[in-house]
Amino acid sequence: MSSERWSPAAGELVSERFRLERELARGGMGSIWRAHHVPLDCPCAVKFIDEQYLDSDLLRDRFHREAIAVAKLNHPG
């Protein structure tokens, strides 16, 4: 097993659909990237949780709830 940590990089294709463009912000739990949703051909944002938090059920659940809430947003901006 490799001990190398993965970190997002500009130009990288994530989950076969998000082409990362640039990091927009970094916070206490991770980072937010501007990306291009390749199949839908539109801009989007992708949030990554830092690996150190993946073992915490509480933080992983919080991240998942946040993702569901954001996905329900419908705003022209």
Side-chain angles (χ1 to χ4, degrees):
M1 180 187 290
S2 174
S3 62
E4 291 183 36
R5 299 183 84 164
W6 177 82
S7 61
E12 187 168 359
L13 185 64
V14 177
S15 297
E16 300 179 7
R17 71 180 74 166
F18 303 105
R19 177 78 57 200
L20 300 180
E21 295 177 355
R22 65 185 173 94
E23 187 177 66
L24 297 174
R26 174 161 286 285
M29 287 183 59
S31 60
I32 300 173
W33 283 70
R34 177 183 169 89
H36 185 80
H37 193 289
V38 176
L40 298 180
D41 192 26
C42 65
C44 64
V46 178
K47 185 172 184 178
F48 295 98
I49 188 170
D50 287 341
E51 289 183 26
Q52 67 194 37
Y53 299 112
L54 293 177
D55 291 335
S56 169
D57 290 339
L58 178 67
L59 291 177
R60 202 173 48 248
D61 289 345
R62 177 177 155 193
F63 189 83
H64 187 251
R65 284 192 309 275
E66 179 181 314
I68 290 170
V70 169
K72 291 178 182 180
L73 291 176
N74 183 10
H75 188 277

